[in-house]
Amino acid sequence: MVELIDICKTIKKRSILDHINYQFENGKIYGLYGPNGSGKTMILRVLAGLVVPDSGRVLIHGRELHKEISFPPSVGLIIEHMELLPAYNAEENLQLLARISKKADEEDIRKILKDVGLETKIPVKKYSLGMKQRLNIAQAIFEKPELILLDEPGNALDEAGIKTFHQLMNREKERGACIIIATHSKSDLVNICDEVLLVENGKLKQGGIQTGERMDY
């Protein structure tokens, strides 16, 4: 379980997060829905340990971030403007990442690249935007993290890519991961989320979209 307790963050005298409180459970998919600049990405950055809030506490399975632990012990992340090494292909990029925590092997890498449709040896610099986003999704989940934080994961994906993304998120949910998706696009959320939270002006509100509502691909 991941818990935000009275989280506040101000940048240049502007309130970015305003007393955020919420508990995120394992085995569920959550959506953070709202316009650009509403605070969605900042919530993900705080949860990932990339930003220290001005006040409040972040608990990861009861352990406080930035006091008992520096970062969540098991996290996969897509954050804005991220890009993997352009001179390497998809498999080589994941191999390099796998060496850091040693949680995934060659079979895990081959399987996730097949799942996202990237069984290619061409370097990332020759990828389309949609291919790069498929690789971003792959790197976020190939080590089977407990916490998955995704910022605008549907960017540049075509209909087939969105469908694949939904299938993968449901698989990760069944595995027991806690998945939090931040987006301004309904199509990223309504088919797969257990709960959708509206983010407006740095505040977190219940609702905004009916979960379980079907969207045409």
Side-chain angles (χ1 to χ4, degrees), residues 50-210:
L50 300 175
V51 169
V52 180
D54 298 330
S55 61
R57 303 164 68 208
V58 182
L59 302 182
I60 311 290
H61 296 302
R63 303 172 69 193
E64 186 169 352
L65 206 56
H66 305 299
K67 289 192 176 180
E68 297 175 88
I69 53 176
S70 298
F71 297 97
S74 179
V75 61
L77 180 67
I78 295 177
I79 206 70
E80 57 187 351
H81 309 310
M82 70 176 293
E83 191 167 311
L84 298 181
L85 297 174
Y88 293 84
N89 64 34
E91 185 174 2
E92 291 167 338
N93 266 283
L94 296 191
Q95 287 171 340
L96 290 170
L97 290 173
R99 292 175 189 171
I100 298 171
S101 57
K102 297 180 173 59
K103 293 180 180 178
D105 57 22
E106 291 293 328
E107 181 59 29
D108 294 320
I109 292 171
R110 284 192 293 269
K111 185 177 187 307
I112 194 60
L113 291 178
K114 180 179 180 180
D115 289 342
V116 300
L118 284 180
E119 295 178 287
T120 174
K121 298 299 183 182
I122 65 174
V124 170
K125 64 185 176 183
K126 295 185 179 181
Y127 281 13
S128 67
L129 292 176
M131 292 171 70
K132 289 179 180 179
Q133 191 69 337
R134 286 172 183 258
L135 181 54
N136 286 337
I137 292 167
Q139 66 79 30
I141 64 176
F142 83 109
E143 294 180 311
K144 301 180 178 63
E146 290 185 10
L147 179 61
I148 300 173
L149 306 172
L150 307 176
D151 187 26
E152 302 289 356
N155 275 357
L157 293 181
D158 57 15
E159 291 181 2
I162 291 290
K163 187 173 182 179
T164 295
F165 168 68
H166 285 184
Q167 291 169 343
L168 290 171
M169 292 305 101
N170 280 316
R171 187 178 75 186
E172 296 303 298
K173 169 187 169 179
E174 291 301 314
R175 182 176 59 78
C178 175
I179 304 165
I180 306 172
I181 301 169
T183 182
H184 65 276
S185 172
K186 283 187 178 182
S187 63
D188 285 347
L189 301 177
V190 295
N191 285 329
I192 56 171
C193 286
D194 298 292
E195 297 183 35
V196 175
L197 306 169
L198 181 62
V199 185
E200 285 185 330
N201 299 317
K203 295 181 181 292
L204 198 61
K205 304 176 182 179
Q206 196 80 29
I209 297 176
Q210 286 292 319

